[in-house]
Amino acid sequence: MSIEQLFDSSLALLQDLIRIPSLSREEDKTATCIDHFLQQAGIETRREGNNIWAFNRLHDREKPTVLLNSHHDTVKPNAGYTKDPFSPEISNGKLYGLGSNDAGGCLVSLMAAFRHFYEDEQLPFNICLAATAEEEISGRQGIESILRYLGHLDYGIIGEPTEMKMAVAEKGLMVLDCVAKGKSGHAARDVGVNAIYEALGDIDWFRSYQFDKVSEYLGPIKMSVTQVKAGYQHNVVPDKCEFVVDVRTTDAFTNEEVLEIVRDAVTSVVEARSTRLRPSFMPAESPIRKAADQLGIEAFGSPTTSDQAIIPIPTIKMGPGRSERSHTPDEFIFVEEIRSGIEGYITLIHTLKQFF
């Protein structure tokens, strides 16, 4: 198919997807739409829950595999919309609609690139396309739930709006629940141990601590105390102070290493809600980075979390659209950005051939 044919069919598919509500955990109808679209293009698909995936026709288990992944779930439309979020209106070169920018344009562009290479007999690697669910909530029934079916994966290209620049690193996330212990007593007497005062030292440590390694693309790890709860009555010294810390990790440390450093430094009891949202980094010597360098694609570090965090292989994040438009009222993507996305992905994958 020509670029123009791929573009026309991709634009029509994105309009169809916008018409179908696909909130996280409610993506069954968009999954069906994507599945039917690929099957009508002569592509054999598999489905698990609301996740659809496929391999290039000449898939060879002896070859390395590159994953192309983006999501088809959306957040809820916010109250600021002036347009129907489920009406794919095109006006002044912009396609409006919920999920148009995040990440519908990326998804249909990746699907177009996959279709372009589907029959390619000269590919030195396999391509696995995965259109997945629950990305917006980092849910366990999205990409994470089908990794076991995809076999060995070597590298990944994750479709998110980056203006076709390449996010070679992405911050991870840990949420820490911390409890400082004290001893109850009457506030009028010099008795008890005030848990709030016990917590203050730890809170100050989180505010001021600097890790000894800094990521080249993501900078320092950022820790922010975001919630504090203590006491139940004005005249009782509290025996417990609970606080929550938002930790944005980088590729300089694993989440587990950060958690160990925190526990060694503070007196509060610290529990991580999860360590699964990991920071990611694509090494400069990897084939994808080499291809990007040859093409002059700008590399940067992304502060926002995506499915990169739960895919346990080196990945980059790249796609048409702008991150700043995501989750905003009257979300849109420029129609020409979709064409550029298709062309950009195809050029990257074509250039990637020479580095395998």
Side-chain angles (χ1 to χ4, degrees), residues 17 37 57 66 93 97 118 138 146 183 192 201 245 258 282 303 353:
L17 292 174
F37 178 88
R57 187 181 294 281
V66 176
Y118 183 67
S138 300
I146 63 169
K183 183 177 180 181
V245 187
V258 171
M282 180 68 77
K353 290 181 180 182

Side-chain angles (χ1 to χ4, degrees), residues 21 32 37 41 45 49-50 55 95 115 124 156 160-161 170 202-203 255 257 260 272 292 320 325:
T32 298
F37 178 88
T45 63
N50 295 329
F55 289 91
L95 171 59
R115 287 187 287 149
E160 289 285 336
E170 180 186 84
D202 290 345
I203 290 173
N255 284 355
E257 288 170 338
E260 183 178 357
R325 297 183 205 139

Side-chain angles (χ1 to χ4, degrees), residues 55 59 63-67 125-128 152-155:
F55 289 91
H59 177 244
K63 293 180 179 179
T65 299
V66 176
L67 172 69
F125 47 83
N126 303 308
I127 300 179
C128 174
H152 180 77
L153 303 171
D154 293 272
Y155 299 100

Side-chain angles (χ1 to χ4, degrees), residues 9-10 13 32-42 111 115:
S9 60
S10 298
L13 173 61
T32 298
C33 177
I34 293 165
D35 198 14
H36 287 173
F37 178 88
L38 292 171
Q39 290 180 23
Q40 288 172 357
M111 290 172 63
R115 287 187 287 149

Side-chain angles (χ1 to χ4, degrees), residues 20-42:
I20 305 169
S22 56
L23 305 182
S24 301
R25 298 197 179 101
E26 301 174 12
E27 315 97 333
D28 54 306
K29 292 183 175 62
T30 46
T32 298
C33 177
I34 293 165
D35 198 14
H36 287 173
F37 178 88
L38 292 171
Q39 290 180 23
Q40 288 172 357

